[in-house]
Amino acid sequence: EEIKTYNPDAGIFFSEHKPVGFIKQSGENLPLDWAKDKDILALCAIANPESFKKTLKFLGADIKTVSSYRDHYEFKQTDIISDLQNAEECSAEWIVTTEKDMIRLRHLRLPENLVSLSIELSADEKFFEEAAN
């Protein structure tokens, strides 16, 4: 209703993003229930780190700590070294990052216990029809 007050002709579409699984660096896919009861350090450089943390908690992960950087941060090897030490200090067995951040991390030497959370975006079918026109 609020949007229509600004533009009565605007199309209104609903979308959601939902987790679909985890991906190891090797490319191996892990199911969503993989995270259940895992001790995790959540690593992200996104605008809303709290959302990432909530998603991991919803999946049953035991979040030991969150290592968040500003959105679009350019990771350095020293960051990974620091995060590994942080994970060890708080007894996090795994480091979980976003798919977006995994791409930003690929140029670094990464630990074997780093995985990414895969997210899928779904939108109203009418959105795709309108976007194609």
Side-chain angles (χ1 to χ4, degrees), residues 94-131:
W94 292 92
I95 300 172
V96 179
T97 192
T98 66
E99 273 184 299
K100 173 189 131 179
D101 290 323
M102 183 63 93
I103 291 168
R104 300 178 88 77
L105 289 163
R106 287 191 307 202
H107 69 284
L108 303 173
R109 288 184 318 279
L110 301 174
E112 290 296 318
N113 64 336
L114 175 70
V115 299
S116 62
L117 175 62
S118 182
I119 299 288
E120 181 179 88
L121 176 69
S122 63
D124 289 345
E125 191 64 36
K126 288 186 177 190
F127 167 77
F128 295 107
E129 291 170 10
E130 182 129 339

Side-chain angles (χ1 to χ4, degrees), residues 38 66 77 92 112 128:
K38 295 274 192 307
V66 177
Q77 193 65 48
E112 290 296 318
F128 295 107

Side-chain angles (χ1 to χ4, degrees), residues 56-69:
L56 292 173
K57 279 188 166 193
F58 174 77
L59 296 174
D62 183 4
I63 308 297
K64 296 298 185 182
T65 191
V66 177
S67 181
S68 61
Y69 297 81

Side-chain angles (χ1 to χ4, degrees), residues 78-97:
T78 54
D79 300 322
I80 298 304
I81 292 167
S82 176
D83 288 327
L84 275 170
Q85 290 171 342
N86 195 5
E88 189 174 316
E89 288 169 6
C90 70
S91 301
E93 179 184 4
W94 292 92
I95 300 172
V96 179
T97 192

Side-chain angles (χ1 to χ4, degrees), residues 6-71:
Y6 296 101
N7 182 350
D9 299 324
I12 307 293
F13 307 100
F14 295 93
S15 68
E16 69 174 335
H17 71 277
K18 60 182 178 180
V20 293
F22 294 87
I23 306 171
K24 286 185 162 184
Q25 293 177 67
S26 64
E28 178 186 352
N29 291 306
L30 302 169
L32 285 176
D33 63 359
W34 169 87
K36 187 164 177 44
D37 299 323
K38 295 274 192 307
D39 294 330
I40 288 175
L41 178 147
L43 169 65
C44 61
I46 57 176
N48 186 356
E50 189 60 32
S51 173
F52 182 55
K53 180 181 174 182
K54 283 181 183 179
T55 299
L56 292 173
K57 279 188 166 193
F58 174 77
L59 296 174
D62 183 4
I63 308 297
K64 296 298 185 182
T65 191
V66 177
S67 181
S68 61
Y69 297 81
R70 71 181 183 279
D71 199 14

